[in-house]
Amino acid sequence: MAEKLRLFVSATSDLENSRAVIGRAVADLPVQIGVEIRRTPAQGAAYDDIFELIANVDRVYFLLGRDITAPAGAEWHLAWQLERSILPLRAVVPRTPAAQEFARNFLGEWTRLRSNAELARLVTLDLVRILDHPTNRYGLTVPDFELLKLHAARVMKQAPDVQGEAGGAEGGGVLLDTVHGEEFNDQFDDELLVSN
């Protein structure tokens, strides 16, 4: 049975609109799969609730801007504690001393962001790599893989500037899988019933 691709987007307050860029990159994928984009609610959440949001995601996109703001710091530490796969992205902007210290304490390598177009390109290529899973967790067909390969090649050549705007995946969201059938959608409906 095909699984949903679960993503968590963590962003400092100055990069809040970049969530829409990530949502658009997901929506532009040329294959029909179930995708859930999670975030901490804008009004905030308890530590345990953030834990639940991050605990079983396939990828965490962490966007660091001018300053390290709540709840991004807690999300970062939880993602590492839970051994989630993290893509650390750092905007090329002047940073506060707190953000400089935060970035310096990460021993890995930050991916630098200069624009929303670059963010869209990086996320798209990352998603293509994730979907090319050795056990085909997401139920893709051979033509799906070919479409993803062509999409990645097109994105590498030209990434139009995508402007982050309110809406999109800013509040989190679920994209429904219309190809892989009722099994997936029934499972999703059951999850909705449990969560309501």
Side-chain angles (χ1 to χ4, degrees):
M1 182 169 78
E3 296 180 29
K4 272 192 289 191
L5 174 61
R6 291 177 173 91
L7 308 171
F8 186 91
V9 180
S10 178
T12 55
S13 59
D14 58 323
L15 296 180
E16 186 69 26
N17 287 340
S18 296
R19 294 177 193 277
V21 176
I22 293 174
R24 182 81 255 158
V26 170
D28 286 345
L29 290 171
V31 295
Q32 296 292 314
I33 59 166
V35 180
E36 183 178 350
I37 302 174
R38 299 176 180 178
R39 66 161 295 167
T40 300
Q43 67 274 18
Y47 186 83
D48 290 343
D49 294 334
I50 299 172
F51 182 97
E52 289 298 319
L53 289 168
I54 295 175
N56 67 344
V57 296
D58 301 300
R59 176 62 111 182
V60 174
Y61 293 109
F62 185 86
L63 306 169
L64 177 63
R66 295 183 187 284
D67 196 8
I68 185 66
T69 56
E75 293 165 345
W76 172 266
H77 290 293
L78 272 171
W80 281 105
Q81 178 187 350
L82 294 168
E83 299 179 355
R84 298 294 82 202
S85 175
I86 303 170
L87 180 58
L89 303 157
R90 186 176 70 182
V92 178
V93 294
R95 274 179 294 289
T96 65
Q100 289 173 13
E101 186 65 21
F102 181 86
R104 190 175 16 260
N105 284 332
F106 173 52
L107 299 177
E109 189 172 328
W110 288 94
T111 300
R112 294 172 184 244
L113 291 177
R114 290 173 177 35
S115 68
N116 283 332
E118 189 172 25
L119 174 60
R121 183 181 62 79
L122 290 168
V123 168
T124 298
L125 296 176
D126 185 60
L127 289 168
V128 169
R129 279 190 297 274
I130 291 169
L131 292 173
D132 191 14
H133 193 271
T135 62
N136 194 15
R137 296 174 54 177
Y138 308 105
L140 298 174
T141 64
V142 172
D144 288 337
F145 287 114
E146 288 300 317
L147 286 171
L148 285 172
K149 184 178 176 181
L150 290 170
H151 185 61
R154 189 170 41 250
V155 166
M156 285 295 292
K157 287 182 182 173
Q158 178 180 345
D161 193 15
V162 179
Q163 296 300 316
E165 51 190 60
E170 184 176 316
V174 175
L175 300 176
L176 295 178
D177 179 1
T178 58
V179 172
H180 294 100
E182 297 302 318
E183 287 179 359
F184 178 83
N185 293 327
D186 288 345
Q187 176 189 357
F188 176 73
D189 290 340
D190 291 344
E191 289 175 11
L192 278 178
L193 291 173
V194 170
S195 67
N196 288 333

